């Protein structure tokens, strides 16, 4: 299949607070991803994913061109391509709130489809 030519993945300090570093632990990070002061654990990040300052993403799969806003908390989720989650969004924290907005599997995995209006 076609692989776009992207710059390498990178983790950088936050643009808001230089003491906050981008961190990825036990994760698969594709080309073109930028983790800017966010934390990623046990995730798969497809090409061109952006994680902003203070965001925490764990046990999730993020498809191409997903943008996770500042201070978001995303757990046990599959995020479809092109989704942009605004600052402070929480998914995988409150199961009932997730069921009201998304499809949630019996194992507790939230699926955030493309076309979501925030």
């Amino acid at each position: 299949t076609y692989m776009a030519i992207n710059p390498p993945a990178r983790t950088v300090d936050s643009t808001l607070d230089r003491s906050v570093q981008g961190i990825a632990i036990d994760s698969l990070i594709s080309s073109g991803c930028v983790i800017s002061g966010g934390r990623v654990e046990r995730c798969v990040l497809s090409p061109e994913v952006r994680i902003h300052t203070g965001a925490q993403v764990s046990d999730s799969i993020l498809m191409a061109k997903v943008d996770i806003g500042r201070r978001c908390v995303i757990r046990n989720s599959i995020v479809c391509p092109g989704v942009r989650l605004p600052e402070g969004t929480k998914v995988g924290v409150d199961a009932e709130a997730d069921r009201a907005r998304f499809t949630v599997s019996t194992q507790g995995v939230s699926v955030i489809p493309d076309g979501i209006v925030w």
Side-chain angles (χ1 to χ4, degrees), residues 38-118:
R39 183 179 182 91
V40 175
E41 295 184 63
R42 298 173 305 280
C43 292
V44 176
L45 274 56
S46 297
E48 299 181 55
V49 168
R50 181 74 190 249
I51 309 290
H52 294 275
T53 302
Q56 298 177 21
V57 184
S58 61
D59 303 306
S60 297
I61 299 171
L62 280 56
M63 303 295 187
K65 298 184 180 181
V66 165
D67 189 278
I68 304 296
R70 293 183 178 119
R71 293 179 283 284
C72 286
V73 177
I74 311 300
R75 298 180 186 151
N76 302 320
S77 298
I78 299 172
V79 184
C80 291
V83 170
R84 293 180 179 266
L85 298 178
E87 184 172 339
T89 300
K90 295 187 183 335
V91 179
V93 177
D94 180 352
E96 291 307 313
D98 289 348
R99 281 188 183 88
R101 298 184 294 174
F102 314 116
T103 300
V104 179
S105 75
T106 56
Q107 291 81 21
V109 175
S110 298
V111 178
I112 305 169
D114 57 350
I116 285 287
V117 178
W118 293 97

